[in-house]
Amino acid sequence: MSLSGKTSTRPYRGVFPVAPTIFDDGGKLDLEGQKRAIDFMIDAGSDGICILANFSEQFVLTDGERESVMTTVLDHVAGRVPVIVTTSHFSTEICAERSRRAEAAGASMVMIMPPFFGATLRVSEAGIYDFFRKVSDAIGIPIMIQDAPMAGTPLSAPFLARMAKEIANVSYFKIEIAGTAAKLRDLIALGQDAIEGPWDGEEAITLIADLDAGATGAMTGGAYPDGIRQIIDPYFAGDKEKAAAAYERWLPLINYENRQCGLLAAKVLMKEGGVIRSEAVRHPLMPLHPETRKGLIEVARRVDPLVLRWGR
């Protein structure tokens, strides 16, 4: 398998970071800032982009704002790279309608978590299967199932492989749980050709282990796709030593984002580099502690990501 340059046709592979949703200092959508963030992410080597994900603060957006962000981004990207739109919702009908609208607007794929609400309201395996079947029936583009702790829903490798084999558009899987590499191996072995895209997530903190397990894509934070490309490109070119050396260089920043900053990291680095004007998040989310912010920028400067230079 080789991976060089951007992948605009299926199977989608490579680095598909999550774009932050950009607000002004007053908490309103900044759609011009959104476009700049997208342009930076493409210039930094993103093979594709995901919008409206959890790292995009999708949970603080109104339905109208979701639509504005989606149409603005898809119109602005204009086919330069594939765009994945997150359409998760507890309601099957709402998720299906969101997915139909995303496809109509030009999305290349939708990403969906299994239905859940709060800490305790979960759906049975039979209900999850029907949920994804009905959403698949509503669209003609791939579905990526997001297997993440937030949902609190067990999704075994045999169950995921079964859905891949039996539900037409279920073909991509973002695995970001403890033991991701082991689950990826099991999923690939069980699903075989039905698993079009076994991907990792969680800011690429387990990227090398996941690539070794067969991952073909990484959905990371949006601030330094150039750094993740430095790991993935040599890996798929067969130079695992070069990939490991790059991973060692970038891991302190990956770790700082994952363990200290979460979704705020991308906005802080984009603001610091002049990509966007405001790093605001919506309340009740809070800004980073000044010392944590300072630490993030110090760690980032050691590897010189494009984000700190793009807007200067």
Side-chain angles (χ1 to χ4, degrees):
M1 183 189 306
S2 65
L3 185 71
S4 59
K6 292 178 169 55
T7 301
S8 58
T9 58
R10 294 173 65 177
Y12 301 119
R13 295 175 175 169
V15 183
F16 278 64
V18 173
T21 300
I22 309 305
F23 305 114
D24 63 23
D25 285 337
K28 302 295 185 183
L29 288 180
D30 177 1
L31 295 178
E32 290 306 310
Q34 190 73 58
K35 294 176 188 176
R36 283 178 58 83
I38 295 297
D39 286 340
F40 152 71
M41 292 171 68
I42 293 173
D43 287 351
S46 300
D47 292 301
I49 292 170
C50 178
I51 62 172
L52 298 173
N54 295 324
F55 253 43
S56 313
E57 298 173 75
Q58 58 89 11
F59 38 78
V60 300
L61 300 176
T62 67
D63 289 347
E65 288 172 331
R66 287 179 56 89
E67 190 80 5
S68 292
V69 170
M70 181 178 73
T71 55
T72 295
V73 170
L74 288 168
D75 288 350
H76 187 65
V77 169
R80 286 178 286 168
V81 296
V83 177
I84 301 171
V85 177
T86 306
T87 58
S88 298
H89 198 281
F90 186 85
S91 163
T92 304
E93 289 305 317
I94 294 173
C95 184
E97 178 58 25
R98 283 181 172 183
S99 300
R100 279 191 290 263
R101 294 180 73 84
E103 180 180 21
S108 296
M109 188 189 310
V110 292
M111 183 169 73
I112 304 171
M113 299 187 79
F116 74 99
F117 189 81
T120 60
L121 187 54
R122 299 293 181 272
V123 173
S124 68
E125 190 170 279
I128 293 169
Y129 183 96
D130 259 5
F131 172 89
F132 282 109
R133 179 184 60 79
K134 289 180 178 181
V135 175
S136 176
D137 288 347
I139 59 175
I141 56 176
I143 295 170
M144 172 176 281
I145 295 180
Q146 183 178 4
D147 181 14
M150 180 179 290
T153 303
L155 296 170
S156 70
F159 179 51
L160 293 175
R162 178 188 163 214
M163 287 197 287
K165 290 179 176 180
E166 297 178 2
I167 301 176
N169 292 311
V170 172
S171 47
Y172 286 78
F173 300 85
K174 180 186 178 185
I175 309 297
E176 44 187 354
I177 61 167
T180 288
K183 189 163 188 177
L184 283 168
R185 284 192 183 92
D186 289 345
L187 179 61
I188 293 165
L190 291 166
Q192 300 183 11
D193 291 345
I195 311 300
E196 185 173 319
W199 288 14
D200 93 333
E202 205 178 359
E203 300 76 72
I205 199 164
T206 58
L207 181 57
I208 290 292
D210 299 339
L211 291 172
D212 286 343
T216 59
M219 189 174 289
T220 63
Y224 44 95
D226 49 325
I228 307 301
R229 284 290 299 265
Q230 290 176 30
I231 303 164
I232 279 189
D233 287 358
Y235 188 97
F236 282 104
D239 193 341
K240 294 176 73 170
E241 288 303 313
K242 184 176 180 181
Y247 186 59
E248 290 172 4
R249 283 197 309 276
W250 288 89
L251 188 54
L253 180 56
I254 293 169
N255 181 276
Y256 207 99
E257 176 181 23
N258 178 267
R259 304 302 294 173
Q260 307 298 328
C261 304
L263 63 85
L264 288 93
K267 290 189 177 186
V268 167
L269 292 173
M270 288 183 183
K271 169 67 161 42
E272 187 69 16
V275 178
I276 58 177
R277 291 189 295 266
S278 174
E279 63 197 61
V281 291
R282 277 189 170 169
H283 198 270
L285 295 177
M286 301 296 288
L288 290 182
H289 187 283
E291 290 302 313
T292 302
R293 187 185 190 282
K294 177 182 176 183
L296 172 66
I297 293 165
E298 287 176 351
V299 171
R301 282 180 176 148
R302 295 186 190 119
V303 286
D304 191 30
L306 179 63
V307 68
L308 295 180
R309 295 178 275 108
W310 188 86
R312 299 298 184 192

